[in-house]
Amino acid sequence: MKRNAMKKTLAVLVMVMLGFSLFAQNTSSGSVKLTAAYGTGLEAKLDAAYQVKIPMLVGDGALFSGNNLKVKAGLGLSPIAGTFTLDAVLTPMAVFEFSLGGGVGTGWDFDLMSLNGLKIASGGIGSPLASDSLGGLYYLGKAGAAFQFDTGAVFKGDWMSVVIRSYQELNYKGYSAADASIAWEYENGGSMVNGFNYKGEYVLGYQMPLMVNFVGLQLETYRYDLFGTKSDLVGDLSILANTQINDQFSVLTAIQLTNYVKETDTTRVITKVDPKFKRVALIASYAF
């Protein structure tokens, strides 16, 4: 009995030591972001996130030596809504990423600016929307894949870094208080119904050894209700410039153009238009 107990104790100690050695290889980081934007009105949002990076599928060579799994929890808060998210991003090769994630949130009214974080309609898209403050939960599930490449990994030099990234995502967005035929709106996002949606994201940028260390273009494309009435393909084009104040603090400036609008009447229908100015945004980030 004593010998068996000793073996079990040693086995537990070995497992604990292995666990600590694996944990010691992990790295963690956090960030806080404040977004302020002005377009048709003033927007503000605070995001906080904590991330753990776990070495995984690590191999030899530049393409495999940095392979990892990142798990990130985030909390977003605006004057009209709060959202919790959880994402996992696997990098099996330096130029590829695969991700799974989801989130839940709810919204409320902000009477001072006549804003509603949650709205619901009596019918489908095009029906008038009315406030549904704290009436249910907004939820999101998503799966995505990205291809990314930095020429700085091939051509050595401070001025040789051109960044290319393409990301494709399928997501499901819904509102717990609405069935499939009822329209709703979350955080001024426009009239939607429960269902699958598509998002594409494309970035072309140049990194420099200056305080303004990144300039680039970002195109985001969207198609809503893929397996229902399926909207037109719409998108936003952003001109980006990042200013690195110090190792921890940076400010990203984005000037956005768009080819769709959210109608200002009570239906909040998303309508395709000719390209036009959308907003200018400042995103202040602090990393720790």
Side-chain angles (χ1 to χ4, degrees):
M1 290 291 290
K2 289 183 179 180
R3 187 172 296 175
N4 288 337
M6 183 65 71
K7 288 181 179 179
K8 290 180 181 179
T9 302
L10 288 172
V12 170
L13 287 172
V14 169
M15 291 177 66
V16 170
M17 290 174 66
L18 285 173
F20 274 113
S21 67
L22 289 173
F23 182 79
Q25 297 175 31
N26 300 343
T27 57
S28 60
S29 60
S31 65
V32 178
K33 295 182 180 181
L34 176 62
T35 301
Y38 183 77
T40 55
L42 185 64
E43 302 173 49
K45 189 171 184 179
L46 181 67
D47 292 282
Y50 184 78
Q51 174 181 280
V52 176
K53 184 166 71 172
I54 306 164
M56 186 171 290
L57 305 176
V58 177
D60 297 325
L63 287 176
F64 304 100
S65 60
N67 290 357
N68 63 81
L69 173 68
K70 292 187 285 283
V71 180
K72 182 178 181 179
L75 181 64
L77 183 64
S78 74
I80 56 174
T83 310
F84 172 79
T85 58
L86 185 64
D87 295 283
V89 180
L90 176 65
T91 305
M93 191 176 182
V95 295
F96 292 111
E97 285 184 350
F98 300 97
S99 60
L100 289 174
V104 293
T106 192
W108 51 83
D109 296 340
F110 185 48
D111 295 331
L112 184 64
M113 297 182 67
S114 300
L115 297 174
N116 309 114
L118 272 173
K119 290 183 178 181
I120 195 168
S122 57
I125 298 291
S127 303
L129 294 154
S131 172
D132 198 31
S133 178
L134 300 173
L137 286 177
Y138 160 81
Y139 55 91
L140 161 72
K142 61 182 181 179
F147 169 80
Q148 56 196 11
F149 183 70
D150 183 353
T151 59
V154 178
F155 305 104
K156 302 302 179 183
D158 292 338
W159 299 89
M160 303 300 292
S161 182
V162 176
V163 178
I164 301 168
R165 177 178 166 86
S166 171
Y167 172 73
Q168 309 298 313
E169 175 185 295
L170 179 67
N171 63 60
Y172 187 96
K173 294 181 179 180
Y175 179 45
S176 64
D179 61 32
S181 62
I182 299 297
W184 51 268
E185 180 186 56
Y186 181 66
E187 203 172 14
N188 277 330
S191 185
M192 300 190 70
V193 294
N194 296 354
F196 286 95
N197 312 284
Y198 160 80
K199 177 183 177 181
E201 181 180 299
Y202 311 89
V203 176
L204 175 63
Y206 181 53
Q207 295 188 119
M208 304 170 289
L210 303 173
M211 179 175 284
V212 179
N213 64 350
F214 178 85
V215 292
L217 296 174
Q218 180 185 57
L219 174 64
E220 296 172 285
T221 59
Y222 310 93
R223 194 185 290 275
Y224 299 103
D225 196 19
L226 281 179
F227 305 114
T229 56
K230 191 165 72 170
S231 74
D232 292 330
L233 185 69
V234 295
D236 297 323
L237 177 66
S238 299
I239 303 168
L240 305 175
N242 187 72
T243 303
Q244 195 71 40
I245 308 299
N246 56 40
D247 289 342
Q248 295 176 295
F249 184 61
S250 65
V251 178
L252 178 68
T253 303
I255 300 172
Q256 285 189 323
L257 307 175
T258 188
N259 73 339
Y260 71 100
V261 295
K262 295 169 288 186
E263 300 294 344
T264 55
D265 60 17
T266 57
T267 65
R268 303 289 285 176
V269 173
I270 297 172
T271 303
K272 192 171 183 178
V273 298
D274 292 331
K276 58 183 288 186
F277 171 77
K278 181 177 183 178
R279 66 175 187 167
V280 57
L282 295 175
I283 305 173
S285 302
Y286 180 78
F288 57 90

